[in-house]
Amino acid sequence: MSLREQREELEVQCLSPHASLAKNTRGRDVFEEPCDIHTEYQRDRDRILHCKSFRRLKHKTQVFLAPEGDHYRTRLTHTLEVSQIARTIARALRLNEDLTEAIALGHDLGHTPFGHAGERALDRVCPDGFVHSEQSVRVVETLEKDGKGLNLTWEVRDGIRNHRTSGRPATLEGGVVRFADKIAYINHDIDDAIRARIFTETDLPERYTAVLGHSVRERLNSMIHDIIYCSLDKKQIRMTPGMEEAIQGLRTWLFENMYTNEIPKAEEGKAVRMVEALYHYYMEHAKELPEEYLRRMQERGEKKERAVCDYIAGMSDSYAVARFEKLFVPMSWKG
């Protein structure tokens, strides 16, 4: 019996009857011989961790555009926090931790530069629209590895596609990531906002903190515990109504008092105009796109609009700025 088969047998013996077993995966679009060491979900996790799109997340905005300081979250640190929260919940519920981790690590691979500002800009100018969860699936299916994709299992792709609040993941592991994403960004966005002196801990509404806790540590602890004890041995990942209501209330308060605050939004208008300018430029000068995007248009018949959108969405913040400066900012001249 191979090491992989031993691991699969351990899953049968140790995991919840509601967990997704690696040996029961619906598989990959392109068949691959099983690995003798890793299960299918472990292979997916490793492929995501080593792909180029994952590495670029370290230079993509979470909330604060170009913050002055080393301790503000980026899209990469957000992803790692989501992964850790999701793994904690999955382990407590005896779900498949490998599947959970793969979904969590891949859930934001398709995010744009400049956070949700970049996403809104592309959604506005691209005729087909733009949603980062769908773009994340496109990254792993089509864009990575020079157009070959990562050939991930169906369950991982489903979890990535459905990680948003409105999503309906087919596995409990996907449901765990869906909650973990919200838990992570609410708490680390509060932490970053306090660091930026947008508000203080005492400014948070007492009607929500009385339920959730009066510090990031307390809130993480209460939210995670609530999900675990509410979902234990159940066929659904859920929270108690009071906890979910408090989280939604605090999230609404953050939108009103932080996400639209002038400090994190000070440069957002510039970022939006930059993304739109890059889109319109490459729509008019598509031949200047990198070879891999031209090849997909020529060989696969992909629309120019989609190729341009793919290129810009894959940019890091710094690369987008560099391209904009090269295309639109006059360079100094020396005789």
Side-chain angles (χ1 to χ4, degrees):
M1 180 181 289
S2 69
L3 292 175
R4 170 186 54 80
E5 290 170 324
Q6 291 178 36
R7 174 63 185 175
E8 290 174 345
E9 184 58 31
L10 279 174
E11 288 185 356
V12 173
Q13 296 174 10
C14 300
L15 295 186
S16 163
H18 308 308
S20 301
L21 301 180
K23 72 173 188 177
N24 293 336
T25 175
R26 289 175 57 170
R28 309 175 188 279
D29 285 348
V30 179
F31 174 78
E32 297 179 22
E33 289 293 338
C35 175
D36 61 334
I37 297 176
H38 293 313
T39 68
E40 297 300 336
Y41 299 144
Q42 289 173 331
R43 295 175 83 182
D44 285 359
R45 175 202 59 204
D46 292 356
R47 290 179 185 187
I48 292 169
L49 191 63
H50 292 291
C51 76
K52 292 186 295 184
S53 299
F54 185 81
R55 296 194 293 275
R56 288 199 299 268
L57 295 177
K58 66 181 177 180
H59 295 304
K60 292 195 177 191
T61 291
Q62 177 61 25
V63 172
F64 291 87
L65 291 167
E68 292 184 3
D70 295 333
H71 299 129
Y72 292 94
R73 270 73 171 190
T74 65
R75 190 63 58 178
L76 178 61
T77 55
H78 161 72
T79 295
L80 296 177
E81 291 182 33
V82 172
S83 177
Q84 186 56 53
I85 292 169
R87 287 175 58 195
T88 296
I89 296 170
R91 186 181 301 128
L93 298 177
R94 294 188 298 120
L95 298 178
N96 195 309
E97 197 172 334
D98 297 323
L99 172 57
T100 304
E101 185 177 20
I103 295 170
L105 292 176
H107 82 281
D108 269 355
L109 290 178
H111 229 299
T112 59
F114 312 116
H116 289 287
E119 180 176 16
R120 288 192 296 272
L122 281 184
D123 186 50
R124 183 161 58 240
V125 296
C126 185
D128 296 328
F130 184 91
V131 180
H132 80 269
S133 55
E134 292 295 335
Q135 186 69 12
S136 295
V137 175
R138 182 167 171 78
V139 165
V140 300
E141 288 185 342
T142 304
L143 302 181
E144 270 291 337
K145 295 184 67 174
D146 296 324
K148 298 177 183 177
L150 300 180
N151 196 31
L152 303 182
T153 58
W154 183 89
E155 292 80 5
V156 172
R157 287 177 286 143
D158 170 80
I160 291 173
R161 175 175 283 113
N162 288 287
H163 77 268
R164 296 195 306 165
T165 300
S166 60
R168 293 188 176 184
T171 65
L172 294 189
E173 290 81 0
V176 167
V177 174
R178 177 174 166 271
F179 272 99
D181 184 36
K182 185 184 297 185
I183 291 172
Y185 76 68
I186 286 176
N187 284 288
H188 63 49
D189 289 356
I190 290 174
D191 191 39
D192 282 353
I194 292 174
R195 179 172 292 106
R197 297 185 176 87
I198 294 176
F199 52 74
T200 66
E201 176 66 39
T202 56
D203 291 325
L204 298 175
E206 174 65 22
R207 62 184 179 278
Y208 305 133
T209 57
V211 177
L212 302 173
H214 294 88
S215 69
V216 170
R217 178 180 177 277
E218 289 182 8
R219 283 186 288 272
L220 282 170
N221 192 56
S222 64
M223 291 178 188
I224 292 171
H225 274 73
D226 187 86
I227 289 179
I228 289 172
Y229 287 113
C230 197
S231 307
L232 197 60
D233 297 323
K234 302 290 196 308
K235 294 182 179 180
Q236 181 181 0
I237 305 301
R238 57 190 181 186
M239 283 182 160
T240 56
M243 181 66 68
E244 198 155 16
E245 182 179 342
I247 290 174
Q248 184 56 44
L250 183 58
R251 183 171 178 265
T252 300
W253 187 89
L254 288 174
F255 270 98
E256 295 171 351
N257 294 274
M258 177 188 169
Y259 297 127
T260 56
N261 183 277
E262 63 180 10
I263 295 177
K265 296 302 178 185
E267 303 298 305
E268 186 175 291
K270 297 177 185 177
V272 168
R273 289 191 290 274
M274 187 184 304
V275 170
E276 292 179 347
L278 287 171
Y279 179 86
H280 293 307
Y281 177 86
Y282 283 110
M283 283 297 295
E284 295 178 8
H285 305 85
K287 291 183 179 180
E288 296 181 24
L289 289 170
E291 178 62 31
E292 60 187 285
Y293 298 93
L294 296 175
R295 188 167 59 248
R296 279 198 291 274
M297 286 192 290
Q298 295 166 358
E299 297 178 0
R300 301 185 183 183
E302 289 190 355
K303 294 191 295 185
K304 180 171 63 173
E305 292 84 353
R306 178 48 55 189
V308 171
C309 200
D310 287 340
Y311 179 46
I312 296 173
M315 294 180 178
S316 63
D317 293 12
S318 56
Y319 185 76
V321 171
R323 295 310 302 165
F324 181 87
E325 289 179 343
K326 182 175 179 62
L327 295 173
F328 298 107
V329 179
M331 303 297 290
S332 59
W333 182 82
K334 293 182 180 180

